[in-house]
Amino acid sequence: MARPRKPLLSTDRIVEAARALVDAEGLAAVSTRRLAAELGVSGPSLYNHFRTKDEILEAVADSVSAQVDLSMFEGGRDWRTALHDWAVSYRAALHDHPHIVPVLAQGPGRRPAGLRLADAVYGAMVAAGWPAAQATSIGALMRYFVMGSALGSFAGGFVDDAAAYDPADYPHLGQAHLLSEQQEKIDERAFETGLTALLDGLGAQYEQVRRPG
């Protein structure tokens, strides 16, 4: 009986394996040797697709950017609603792959999906009437906010030990040990609160931008 053939090595297979490794163990776990073992191939065969480990991580980062929905910037939708929906989709992608955020935070560089993302946000803001300089600032601001929310959990940063919050030292943290139990709910609410406040502030600026004379 013929032996089953191994799936052909491809760029997509390498990226998928690297992304799974980053998700499970973090950036430090990725090496060409480890990836080759995961894929059942020899190390040098990876170099037919990527020259360095950094190139692989760049491709992983771009694969996460590609998961962000950009359809809300089509069809002339209200800029504020579009920004809100895009931020929610962006955060969801980063929430699913938090370990790659440090690579994404370096900027899009030459990554195609990252550049499409930046182009969509900037183009939609300019089309809505924002001056180019402010459209650039809005793109940067939104990226700071979304990535910051994905870097860690506010609620998850509190231990579930009531003794850690002596009222003599922390008179207002009597319930802090309960925060971690509702981590997801608290973090989601904080994100929506911040996003609403951010968009309200931009809305006020927009009224000034669009005011005649």
Side-chain angles (χ1 to χ4, degrees), residues 81-153:
T81 303
L83 267 187
H84 175 277
D85 293 351
W86 168 74
V88 171
S89 177
Y90 196 5
R91 180 175 182 267
L94 300 190
H95 181 269
D96 290 342
H97 309 282
H99 293 148
I100 201 63
V101 172
V103 179
L104 285 165
Q106 297 171 11
R110 297 177 182 271
R111 297 184 224 119
L115 289 171
R116 283 193 293 271
L117 189 154
D119 181 74
V121 175
Y122 176 81
M125 295 306 101
V126 171
W130 285 97
Q134 285 177 280
T136 299
S137 296
I138 290 170
L141 169 64
M142 297 299 293
R143 193 163 69 87
Y144 299 155
F145 176 71
V146 175
M147 287 194 177
S149 74
L151 282 173
S153 164

Side-chain angles (χ1 to χ4, degrees), residues 23-42:
D23 288 345
E25 301 181 34
L27 294 172
V30 179
S31 68
T32 52
R33 178 179 297 180
R34 177 74 183 277
L35 275 176
E38 294 284 336
L39 291 163
V41 299
S42 63

Side-chain angles (χ1 to χ4, degrees), residues 114-200:
L115 289 171
R116 283 193 293 271
L117 189 154
D119 181 74
V121 175
Y122 176 81
M125 295 306 101
V126 171
W130 285 97
Q134 285 177 280
T136 299
S137 296
I138 290 170
L141 169 64
M142 297 299 293
R143 193 163 69 87
Y144 299 155
F145 176 71
V146 175
M147 287 194 177
S149 74
L151 282 173
S153 164
F154 171 81
F158 292 87
V159 298
D160 61 0
D161 179 8
Y165 308 102
D166 189 327
D169 296 320
Y170 315 108
H172 306 296
L173 296 182
Q175 302 297 309
H177 64 288
L178 302 175
L179 292 176
S180 60
E181 295 179 4
Q182 302 182 58
Q183 176 177 328
E184 193 76 20
K185 182 187 296 184
I186 291 170
D187 290 343
E188 288 285 346
R189 189 168 63 228
F191 177 76
E192 279 294 339
T193 298
L195 182 56
T196 298
L198 188 156
L199 293 173
D200 283 348

